[in-house]
Amino acid sequence: MTATVAHSSIEINQNNDAPMNSASEQVSPRANGRPRSEKSMQAILDTTNKMLLMTSVRDISIESVAKKAGVGKTTIYRWWPNKVALVLDAISGPMASLPAPVSGAKPKDLLEKQLERFARICRGRGGKIIAEVYAESQGHTETQALFFEKFMLQHEEILASILDQGKASGDFRSTLNTALTVDMIYGAFFYQLMSNPNPLDQNFANEIILESLRICK
Amino acid sequence: MTATVAHSSIEINQNNDAPMNSASEQVSPRANGRPRSEKSMQAILDTTNKMLLMTSVRDISIESVAKKAGVGKTTIYRWWPNKVALVLDAISGPMASLPAPVSGAKPKDLLEKQLERFARICRGRGGKIIAEVYAESQGHTETQALFFEKFMLQHEEILASILDQGKASGDFRSTLNTALTVDMIYGAFFYQLMSNPNPLDQNFANEIILESLRICK
Amino acid sequence: MTATVAHSSIEINQNNDAPMNSASEQVSPRANGRPRSEKSMQAILDTTNKMLLMTSVRDISIESVAKKAGVGKTTIYRWWPNKVALVLDAISGPMASLPAPVSGAKPKDLLEKQLERFARICRGRGGKIIAEVYAESQGHTETQALFFEKFMLQHEEILASILDQGKASGDFRSTLNTALTVDMIYGAFFYQLMSNPNPLDQNFANEIILESLRICK
Amino acid sequence: MTATVAHSSIEINQNNDAPMNSASEQVSPRANGRPRSEKSMQAILDTTNKMLLMTSVRDISIESVAKKAGVGKTTIYRWWPNKVALVLDAISGPMASLPAPVSGAKPKDLLEKQLERFARICRGRGGKIIAEVYAESQGHTETQALFFEKFMLQHEEILASILDQGKASGDFRSTLNTALTVDMIYGAFFYQLMSNPNPLDQNFANEIILESLRICK
DNA sequence: CTTTAACCGAGACGGTACGTCGTGTCTTAAC
DNA sequence: GTTAAGACACGACGTACCGTCTCGGTTAAAG
């Protein structure tokens, strides 16, 4: 989904709020009744994360998570509509820890920083998980959208904002098609992750950063 | 998967062979035994193609294909190891019909031609199917590799060869990282296909061609 | 299986209990969880009985029962380990309705009553079903044992007890080998049922009763 | 099936001829063409016998016999209509080796001899196989009849003839119901074989012989 | 200090599809 | 014209999960 961003001033680092589980978004004025069990939530998310280390997203089932977490299946279904939503929340904790690049620096440096940050997320099992959950979201529009919102939106906005900034300041060429460049860069990451059995290597990360700088100027 | 191509002289149009079903690759000196039923094969592939028009790859089951094709499940499993392999063969017929760009022309023109060709494949339901089957192949190494070999390898080799030619002739900048550029271009296609609920639109196709030309020179 | 009975005082009328489905034997203090659906159970047993009227045990499949009963296959497998167990439960209702002969009467009369009772069970389709399910249980030790326990054990015990009583009272000869006589009498029934395409006829029933009386005295 | 025998003089020992495979009965003046392969026949029968030592009749499949015998499935189906027919032929060789008791002796001795002979056949794995194939024949009238003809008919005729002889000579009681007694004796054997997980033991054999003598006089 | 309502675990339910096995039939080339 | 090989349509197997549905039993705020 091509980012159609505005955000000229990057007071980015949006949602520096907590993991933002879809489960916890429920801010509605809850009536009485037993409150949600934080213990169960944590058990579910922890179990999911633990399983993700050894098992592909495809091979994880809601059923197995429930059993291992010592939790009723219903409890999971109550808070997450499907496996993708669950996994997205589970990994959002560990993933979101990396800070977004701050503004004020030179566009070139910002771009480098952001790509390094994204590459760091994608290294090791993490990148594989993201690719798998991305793949798993296919064929179901809402879930597809969920993946984008939960995971990619922030990165797209940041990158687009950096590119726009660079174009404005003259550091990047004015012919640069922001949205498309975002697609090409992140697309390259995913293409690499999804076509290669091995995890994303450092070499690729270095080269894509270099090449990105080249194609912008 | 980063293309590791050589191919300086592009006697491209490599697979000028027939559809190349994995099922029909069996060139081994068939001993005795009842020969494979071409009728069944065609029924299977036709049915698969027909279903793909209306149904997502995820929602197609070997069982349903067998039933609609009037064929035993075993017959499908005998010739294709899984759904992805089947779908890849099914679409390889219609997809492979487009001719690869011939050599001799200017690199710029070749690049444009090849991207137009790829974009044409990706337009409409076709692109969605490819993205879906690509997604479906995730989480299973052999199947992942199969998708690459059957579908992407040819396109990667052609594009890489064009880029190398352009670098050699001076039409493209010498700093161009061939493999990475291939990843960025095709990556952008897939990223678009997989993140956007709508089919790939003409506008995107035009823009990515333009931008590709820009980043090469 | 030779009866190894004691039971000198025949407070017979052994199964004064309910149909005794293996499914309902579960007297354990059911914990939480959704309770078993009695409606489904009945549908399964009823459907099985209905099918048995027209179809041989061999030609009944768990799959077809599930489909006709409007029930998931899993539900059947959850409560019955295999077809034999299911059929045994299904027929235990209709079969068990006949009362066992009460004690106090003369051994000769008791013997006659019991054999008449058994013959009545074996008449018509019922006997065929029993023979078929007996046959079906062969080649699988646990199932074989299940058939014996569920169906034959009661009859063996009653007959053995009658014979022992007759020997004790002097009505039957003292040389009578109880266990073996049980085998010969019930063996004759099954041999007849399994070797003859037609259902067990009244004539056979009458004759075996007469002959049994003769061989005992 | 109650034997309805005449055969007063027992020039029995019928078919002391060769194994009498239904396959080899084909005495018709065969036309030209490739002759039937005796090697294949033997391989099929030998393989079947070998498998019967370790595997229950239920768990033997035509498919597995064909594969182990290095023979086409078609070849088996051409000569035997089903598994039961095949197994019956396979075991008829080893089984038929025991000679029938000759006439002229005293009925009591003849009876004892015949039952000893039958018991010897039923001992060990052999008896189990017979019971299994008997069971397997259930639910299919022709096959049921085949089992009777191929295996039981001879034994029924011999026993009935002995009993009739005894009645005629006054050695056995005149009230003896020949057919029914045959059913009771062989029925006891099968009932024992089919209800007991262990092979038929010597003790049972001895006792049934004793009891049979008792019930006849 | 009792209602009331939402939560929770457990797990049964109707389904769908899986991938495998065996059936009995067929279609070749080889002998 | 039989044979080995083996493909074929078919039907059933027993298993795994799906997402939904009861249950009995908490757990807290509202009355």
Side-chain angles (χ1 to χ4, degrees):
Chain A
M1 186 169 284
T2 316
T4 52
V5 190
H7 260 296
S8 60
S9 84
I10 16 178
E11 241 43 296
I12 306 181
N13 206 342
Q14 61 339 355
N15 78 316
N16 40 8
D17 37 89
M20 194 181 90
N21 298 343
S22 52
S24 47
E25 286 168 2
Q26 204 78 352
V27 206
S28 70
R30 278 230 353 359
N32 52 359
R34 177 176 179 174
R36 172 151 45 90
S37 157
E38 284 305 329
K39 212 181 80 181
S40 292
M41 294 298 112
Q42 268 316 311
I44 292 166
L45 295 171
D46 290 352
T47 302
T48 305
N49 271 317
K50 201 167 295 173
M51 292 181 73
L52 281 169
L53 295 179
M54 301 297 300
T55 322
S56 77
V57 174
R58 152 157 308 192
D59 292 343
I60 289 178
S61 64
I62 297 278
E63 197 133 321
S64 62
V65 172
K67 178 167 272 180
K68 289 209 187 182
V71 141
K73 252 202 296 185
T74 332
T75 306
I76 298 182
Y77 279 112
R78 191 171 355 252
W79 303 112
W80 293 276
N82 53 50
K83 187 167 63 176
V84 168
L86 171 59
V87 172
L88 280 174
D89 269 0
I91 64 178
S92 75
M95 293 291 181
S97 52
L98 296 173
V102 281
S103 64
K106 290 199 291 189
K108 221 192 74 164
D109 293 343
L110 282 176
L111 177 57
E112 200 174 332
K113 280 267 164 51
Q114 166 62 11
L115 294 192
E116 267 169 10
R117 181 196 177 212
F118 192 76
R120 194 148 45 240
I121 292 173
C122 290
R123 252 198 297 277
R125 179 83 188 111
K128 285 299 178 188
I129 294 173
I130 291 166
E132 283 170 7
V133 70
Y134 186 27
E136 205 74 15
S137 78
Q138 294 304 115
H140 191 285
T141 313
E142 292 94 311
T143 308
Q144 207 170 312
L146 185 66
F147 174 83
F148 181 73
E149 286 161 30
K150 286 268 180 166
F151 185 74
M152 282 313 294
L153 184 56
Q154 46 178 319
H155 293 292
E156 284 208 358
E157 285 181 343
I158 293 170
L159 184 52
S161 149
I162 291 169
L163 295 181
D164 284 342
Q165 230 180 315
K167 279 159 72 177
S169 68
D171 287 297
F172 297 155
R173 53 178 235 260
S174 62
T175 54
L176 196 68
N177 183 328
T178 304
L180 202 51
T181 305
V182 169
D183 285 355
M184 291 181 89
I185 292 176
Y186 289 136
F189 274 100
F190 280 107
Y191 188 60
Q192 189 65 209
L193 284 167
M194 291 179 59
S195 301
N196 199 317
N198 310 114
L200 196 126
D201 69 343
Q202 186 57 49
N203 195 34
F204 176 86
N206 294 338
E207 289 189 358
I208 196 169
I209 292 173
L210 285 177
E211 196 70 16
S212 295
L213 289 172
R214 269 189 225 115
I215 68 172
C216 288
K217 177 65 204 113
Chain B
M1 187 169 282
T2 316
T4 51
V5 191
H7 260 298
S8 57
S9 84
I10 15 178
E11 239 47 292
I12 306 183
N13 206 339
Q14 34 19 321
N15 67 327
N16 39 9
D17 33 45
M20 193 179 91
N21 298 344
S22 54
S24 47
E25 285 168 1
Q26 208 73 355
V27 204
S28 69
R30 274 268 300 91
N32 42 8
R34 178 175 177 173
R36 175 150 45 93
S37 157
E38 285 305 330
K39 211 182 80 180
S40 293
M41 294 298 114
Q42 266 318 308
I44 292 166
L45 295 172
D46 290 352
T47 302
T48 305
N49 271 316
K50 201 167 295 174
M51 293 181 71
L52 281 170
L53 294 179
M54 302 298 301
T55 322
S56 77
V57 174
R58 152 154 313 188
D59 292 343
I60 290 178
S61 65
I62 297 276
E63 194 130 333
S64 61
V65 173
K67 178 167 275 180
K68 290 208 186 180
V71 142
K73 247 200 300 187
T74 338
T75 304
I76 298 182
Y77 280 113
R78 191 171 0 250
W79 302 111
W80 293 276
N82 53 51
K83 189 167 62 176
V84 168
L86 170 59
V87 172
L88 280 174
D89 270 0
I91 63 177
S92 76
M95 294 289 181
S97 53
L98 296 172
V102 282
S103 62
K106 287 200 295 188
K108 223 190 74 163
D109 293 344
L110 281 176
L111 177 57
E112 201 175 330
K113 281 264 166 53
Q114 166 62 12
L115 294 191
E116 267 169 9
R117 180 197 180 212
F118 192 76
R120 195 149 47 240
I121 292 173
C122 290
R123 247 195 304 274
R125 178 85 188 109
K128 285 299 178 188
I129 294 173
I130 290 166
E132 284 170 6
V133 70
Y134 187 26
E136 204 74 17
S137 78
Q138 293 305 115
H140 193 285
T141 312
E142 291 94 309
T143 309
Q144 206 171 310
L146 186 66
F147 174 83
F148 182 73
E149 286 161 30
K150 286 268 180 167
F151 185 73
M152 283 312 296
L153 184 56
Q154 46 180 314
H155 292 292
E156 284 209 357
E157 286 181 343
I158 294 169
L159 183 53
S161 148
I162 292 169
L163 295 181
D164 285 341
Q165 227 178 320
K167 279 160 70 179
S169 68
D171 288 296
F172 296 155
R173 53 178 235 262
S174 63
T175 54
L176 195 70
N177 184 328
T178 304
L180 203 51
T181 305
V182 168
D183 285 355
M184 292 179 89
I185 292 175
Y186 289 136
F189 273 100
F190 280 108
Y191 189 61
Q192 188 63 210
L193 284 167
M194 291 178 60
S195 301
N196 198 317
N198 310 115
L200 195 126
D201 69 343
Q202 186 57 49
N203 195 34
F204 176 87
N206 294 338
E207 289 190 357
I208 197 170
I209 292 172
L210 283 178
E211 196 69 16
S212 295
L213 290 172
R214 267 189 226 114
I215 67 173
C216 287
K217 179 63 203 108
Chain C
M1 186 172 284
T2 317
T4 52
V5 190
H7 260 293
S8 58
S9 84
I10 15 179
E11 239 46 294
I12 306 184
N13 205 340
Q14 32 23 306
N15 66 328
N16 40 9
D17 37 274
M20 194 178 90
N21 297 344
S22 52
S24 47
E25 285 169 2
Q26 208 74 352
V27 203
S28 69
R30 273 266 302 93
N32 43 7
R34 177 175 178 174
R36 174 150 45 93
S37 156
E38 285 305 329
K39 212 181 82 181
S40 293
M41 294 298 113
Q42 267 317 309
I44 291 167
L45 295 173
D46 290 352
T47 303
T48 305
N49 270 316
K50 200 167 295 173
M51 293 181 72
L52 281 170
L53 295 178
M54 301 297 300
T55 323
S56 77
V57 175
R58 153 155 310 191
D59 291 343
I60 289 179
S61 65
I62 297 277
E63 194 131 333
S64 62
V65 173
K67 178 167 275 180
K68 290 207 186 183
V71 141
K73 246 199 302 185
T74 340
T75 303
I76 299 182
Y77 280 113
R78 189 168 6 247
W79 301 110
W80 293 276
N82 52 52
K83 189 167 60 176
V84 168
L86 170 60
V87 172
L88 280 174
D89 269 0
I91 63 176
S92 76
M95 293 290 181
S97 52
L98 297 172
V102 280
S103 64
K106 289 200 293 187
K108 221 191 76 164
D109 293 344
L110 281 176
L111 178 57
E112 202 174 331
K113 281 265 164 53
Q114 166 62 11
L115 294 191
E116 267 169 9
R117 179 195 180 216
F118 192 77
R120 194 149 47 241
I121 292 173
C122 290
R123 246 192 310 270
R125 179 82 187 109
K128 284 300 177 188
I129 294 172
I130 290 166
E132 283 170 7
V133 71
Y134 187 26
E136 204 75 15
S137 79
Q138 294 304 116
H140 192 286
T141 313
E142 291 94 312
T143 309
Q144 206 170 310
L146 186 67
F147 174 83
F148 181 73
E149 285 160 31
K150 285 269 180 167
F151 185 74
M152 283 313 295
L153 184 56
Q154 47 179 314
H155 293 291
E156 284 208 357
E157 285 181 344
I158 294 170
L159 184 51
S161 150
I162 292 170
L163 295 181
D164 285 342
Q165 226 179 319
K167 279 159 72 176
S169 68
D171 288 297
F172 297 154
R173 53 179 238 261
S174 62
T175 54
L176 195 69
N177 183 327
T178 305
L180 203 51
T181 305
V182 168
D183 285 355
M184 292 180 89
I185 293 176
Y186 288 136
F189 273 99
F190 280 108
Y191 189 60
Q192 188 64 210
L193 284 167
M194 292 178 61
S195 301
N196 199 316
N198 309 114
L200 194 127
D201 67 346
Q202 186 56 50
N203 194 34
F204 176 86
N206 293 337
E207 289 190 356
I208 196 168
I209 291 173
L210 285 177
E211 196 69 17
S212 294
L213 290 172
R214 269 190 225 113
I215 68 174
C216 287
K217 178 68 204 104
Chain D
M1 185 170 286
T2 316
T4 53
V5 192
H7 258 299
S8 61
S9 85
I10 16 177
E11 239 43 295
I12 307 181
N13 206 339
Q14 57 344 354
N15 80 318
N16 41 6
D17 37 290
M20 192 180 92
N21 298 343
S22 53
S24 46
E25 285 167 2
Q26 202 78 353
V27 206
S28 69
R30 280 227 357 350
N32 55 353
R34 178 173 176 173
R36 172 151 45 89
S37 159
E38 284 304 330
K39 213 181 78 180
S40 292
M41 293 298 112
Q42 266 317 310
I44 291 167
L45 294 172
D46 290 352
T47 302
T48 305
N49 271 315
K50 201 168 295 174
M51 293 180 72
L52 281 170
L53 296 179
M54 301 297 301
T55 322
S56 77
V57 174
R58 151 154 311 190
D59 292 344
I60 290 179
S61 64
I62 297 278
E63 196 133 321
S64 62
V65 172
K67 177 168 272 181
K68 288 208 187 183
V71 141
K73 251 202 299 186
T74 332
T75 306
I76 298 181
Y77 278 113
R78 195 178 342 263
W79 303 112
W80 292 277
N82 53 49
K83 186 166 65 177
V84 168
L86 170 59
V87 172
L88 279 173
D89 270 0
I91 63 177
S92 75
M95 293 290 181
S97 53
L98 296 174
V102 280
S103 64
K106 289 199 292 187
K108 221 192 75 165
D109 293 344
L110 281 176
L111 177 58
E112 199 175 332
K113 280 267 165 51
Q114 167 61 11
L115 294 191
E116 266 170 10
R117 182 198 178 211
F118 192 77
R120 194 147 47 239
I121 292 173
C122 290
R123 252 200 295 280
R125 179 83 188 111
K128 285 298 179 190
I129 294 172
I130 291 166
E132 284 170 7
V133 70
Y134 186 28
E136 205 74 15
S137 78
Q138 294 304 114
H140 192 286
T141 312
E142 292 95 310
T143 309
Q144 206 171 311
L146 186 67
F147 174 83
F148 181 73
E149 286 162 30
K150 284 269 179 165
F151 185 74
M152 283 312 295
L153 183 56
Q154 47 180 316
H155 293 293
E156 284 208 359
E157 285 180 343
I158 294 170
L159 184 52
S161 148
I162 291 170
L163 294 181
D164 285 342
Q165 228 178 317
K167 278 160 73 177
S169 68
D171 287 297
F172 296 155
R173 52 178 237 262
S174 62
T175 55
L176 195 69
N177 183 328
T178 303
L180 203 51
T181 305
V182 168
D183 284 356
M184 291 179 88
I185 292 175
Y186 288 137
F189 273 100
F190 280 108
Y191 188 61
Q192 188 64 210
L193 285 167
M194 291 178 61
S195 301
N196 198 317
N198 310 116
L200 194 126
D201 67 345
Q202 186 57 49
N203 195 35
F204 176 87
N206 293 338
E207 289 189 358
I208 197 171
I209 292 174
L210 284 177
E211 197 69 15
S212 295
L213 290 172
R214 268 189 226 114
I215 68 173
C216 288
K217 179 64 205 108

